[in-house]
C-alpha cells in the first residue's frame, strides 16, 4: 500500500495541494478579518473615512510588496518563504486587540498585507510552474474556487464569533499557523527560483508589456471584484431594497464566484485562453447594463449578479493561466508579481471611481463604471486578437 505523503508519483499533486491550501487559508482570514476590523474601527472612531482608508492600506501593501517578492524568492526557498509569511501574518493578526489604537491598526493591516502578498505571489507562481499545460486553467479554477469558498467560511466564522470580544483576532492568527502545516508536510516539487535578471524590477515591468492581455485581466478583475463586493450593498440600499434583499444579491454574487471558475478554466483549457478572455470580458461589460435595466426587480438582480460575479472571476483564473502559458521557469515569478500588482492597482482605483459615479449620476453609476472597466479590457483583448 502506497503512502500518499511519500509516493513519488504523487509529488506534483502534493505540491499543488499545498499551494491551494494557501488560498483556503488566506480566503478564510480575509472573510473573517475584513468585517471584523472594519466594524471594530467603526466602533472605535465612528468614521467611515478611517474605515475606508484602513481597507486601502491592504491594497497599498500589495502594490509595495509584489515587486519585491521575486527577489525574495531568489534568496529564500519558496516553501520557507510561505511558512515564514504565514507565521508572521498570524502573529500580527493576533496583535490587533493588543494594540487597540488607530495608528497601530494601520501599521498592522499594512504589514500583514505585505506577508499575505508574499503568500499569494509565491503560491500562484508555484502552481503555474508545476501545473500541466493542458490542465493549467482548470487547476487555477480550483485554486480560485477554494479562495472564494474560504472567504465564505471566514464570513461564517465572523458571524459566529462577532465583534464583542477578541476571539476573531486570535482565531485568524491560529488559522494562519495551521495553514503552514500542509506546506511543511506535503513535500513535492518546489517553486523554481527566478534568476537575478528574472527577479529585477525591470523584468516585472517587462512582463506587463510582453503579456498585456494576461496582466490587464488582473487589473480589470481587481477593479470589478472590489467594486462589486464593496458597493453592491450600497447599490441595493439606494434602490430601496430591504436588508434581506441586499443579502440575497450579495449571496448570489458569492455563489457565482464559486460556481463559474472551474467551468471557465475547463473551457479555456480546451479552447484558446485569449479567446476565452475576449468573451469573458464582453459578457462582463454587458451584464452590468442588464442589471441597470432590471431596476429593483429582485429575482432578475439575483440572476444577473450571479452571472456578473461568476464571469468576472474568470478574468483572474484564465488571466493567471495565460501567465503560465506565456512565461516559464523562474520568469513566472516576475510575471506573477506584475499580475498581483495589477490586481492591487485595480482594487485601489475601482471603488473611488464607482462611488463618485454613484454620487454624481445615481445608483446606476456603479453599473456604468463596471461596464466601462470591462469594456476597456474587452477592447484590448479583441484588438490584440485581430
Amino acid at each position: 500500500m502506497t503512502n500518499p505523503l511519500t509516493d513519488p508519483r504523487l509529488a506534483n499533486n502534493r505540491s499543488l495541494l499545498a499551494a491551494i491550501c494557501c488560498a483556503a487559508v488566506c480566503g478564510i482570514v480575509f472573510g473573517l478579518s475584513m468585517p471584523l476590523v472594519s466594524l471594530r474601527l467603526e466602533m472605535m472612531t465612528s468614521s467611515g473615512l478611517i474605515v475606508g482608508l484602513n481597507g486601502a492600506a491592504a491594497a497599498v501593501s500589495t502594490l509595495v510588496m509584489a515587486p519585491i517578492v521575486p527577489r525574495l524568492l531568489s534568496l529564500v526557498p519558496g516553501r520557507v518563504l510561505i511558512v515564514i509569511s504565514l507565521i508572521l501574518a498570524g502573529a500580527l493578526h493576533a496583535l490587533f486587540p493588543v494594540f487597540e489604537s488607530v495608528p497601530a491598526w494601520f501599521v498592522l493591516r499594512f504589514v500583514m498585507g505585505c506577508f499575505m502578498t508574499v503568500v499569494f505571489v509565491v503560491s500562484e507562481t508555484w502552481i503555474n510552474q508545476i501545473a500541466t499545460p493542458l490542465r493549467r486553467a482548470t487547476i487555477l479554477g480550483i485554486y480560485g474556487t477554494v479562495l472564494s469558498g474560504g472567504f465564505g467560511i471566514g464570513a461564517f466564522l465572523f458571524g459566529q464569533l462577532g465583534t464583542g470580544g477578541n476571539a476573531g483576532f486570535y482565531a485568524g492568527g491560529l488559522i494562519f499557523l495551521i495553514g503552514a502545516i500542509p506546506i511543511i508536510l506535503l513535500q513535492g516539487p518546489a517553486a523554481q527560483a527566478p534568476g537575478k535578471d528574472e527577479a529585477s524590477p525591470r523584468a516585472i515591468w517587462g512582463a506587463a508589456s510582453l503579456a498585456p492581455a494576461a496582466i490587464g485581466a488582473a487589473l480589470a478583475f481587481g477593479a470589478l471584484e472590489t467594486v462589486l463586493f464593496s458597493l453592491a450593498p450600497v447599490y441595493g440600499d439606494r434602490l430601496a431594497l430591504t436588508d434581506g434583499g441586499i443579502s440575497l444579491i450579495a449571496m448570489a454574487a458569492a455563489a457565482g464566484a464559486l460556481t463559474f471558475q472551474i467551468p471557465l478554466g475547463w473551457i479555456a483549457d480546451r479552447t484558446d485562453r485569449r479567446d476565452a478572455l475576449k468573451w469573458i470580458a464582453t459578457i462582463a461589460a454587458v451584464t452590468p447594463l442588464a442589471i441597470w435595466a432590471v431596476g429593483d426587480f429582485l429575482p432578475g438582480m439575483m440572476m444577473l449578479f450571479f452571472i456578473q460575479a461568476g464571469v468576472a472571476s474568470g478574468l483572474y483564473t484564465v488571466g493567471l493561466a495565460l501567465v503560465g502559458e506565456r512565461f516559464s521557469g523562474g520568469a513566472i515569478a516576475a510575471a506573477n508579481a506584475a499580475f498581483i500588482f495589477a490586481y492591487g492597482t485595480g482594487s485601489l482605483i475601482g471603488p473611488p471611481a464607482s462611488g463618485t459615479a454613484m454620487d454624481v449620476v445615481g445608483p446606476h453609476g456603479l453599473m456604468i463604471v463596471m461596464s466601462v472597466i470591462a469594456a476597456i479590457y474587452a477592447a484590448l483583448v479583441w484588438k490584440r486578437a485581430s
Side-chain angles (χ1 to χ4, degrees), residues 219-235 288 305 308 343 346-355 357-358 363 365-371 373:
L219 180 66
F221 176 72
L224 290 172
E225 180 198 43
T226 311
V227 163
L228 182 63
F229 286 101
S230 62
L231 291 175
V234 179
Y235 178 77
F305 270 96
Q308 176 65 12
Y343 171 84
S347 67
L348 191 62
I349 65 177
S354 300
M358 293 176 75
L366 173 64
M367 298 303 147
I368 294 170
V369 172
M370 289 177 64
S371 181
I373 290 168

Side-chain angles (χ1 to χ4, degrees), residues 224 277-292 307-308 311-312 315 367-379 382:
L224 290 172
L277 284 172
K278 288 190 303 185
W279 290 108
I280 287 169
T282 301
I283 295 170
V286 172
T287 306
L289 302 180
I291 296 174
W292 182 359
I307 293 171
Q308 176 65 12
V311 170
L315 291 171
M367 298 303 147
I368 294 170
V369 172
M370 289 177 64
S371 181
V372 168
I373 290 168
I376 290 172
Y377 177 67
W382 277 98

Side-chain angles (χ1 to χ4, degrees), residues 15 50 52 66 103 120 136 168 171 179 199 225 236 242 249 258-259 261 285 291 293 296 307 311-312 318 347 364:
S15 289
I50 294 296
F120 275 114
R136 179 176 282 120
E225 180 198 43
T242 65
I249 63 173
L258 273 172
T259 303
Q261 294 191 62
I291 296 174
D296 60 356
I307 293 171
V311 170
V318 181
S347 67
H364 298 298

Side-chain angles (χ1 to χ4, degrees), residues 67 70-71 196-207 334:
R71 177 63 68 190
K196 182 178 179 180
D197 291 339
E198 294 171 330
S200 67
R202 179 174 295 182
I204 296 170
W205 310 134

Side-chain angles (χ1 to χ4, degrees), residues 236-319:
D237 182 66
R238 293 191 181 185
L239 290 182
L241 294 184
T242 65
D243 288 347
I246 293 171
S247 176
L248 286 173
I249 63 173
M251 288 171 60
L258 273 172
T259 303
F260 275 68
Q261 294 191 62
I262 295 175
L264 288 175
W266 184 87
I267 292 169
D269 278 339
R270 282 152 182 79
T271 55
D272 180 274
R273 288 165 188 148
R274 290 174 182 81
D275 285 343
L277 284 172
K278 288 190 303 185
W279 290 108
I280 287 169
T282 301
I283 295 170
V286 172
T287 306
L289 302 180
I291 296 174
W292 182 359
V294 302
D296 60 356
F297 178 59
L298 187 57
M301 292 179 70
M302 290 175 61
M303 179 187 70
L304 291 168
F305 270 96
F306 175 81
I307 293 171
Q308 176 65 12
V311 170
S313 70
L315 291 171
Y316 195 90
T317 298
V318 181

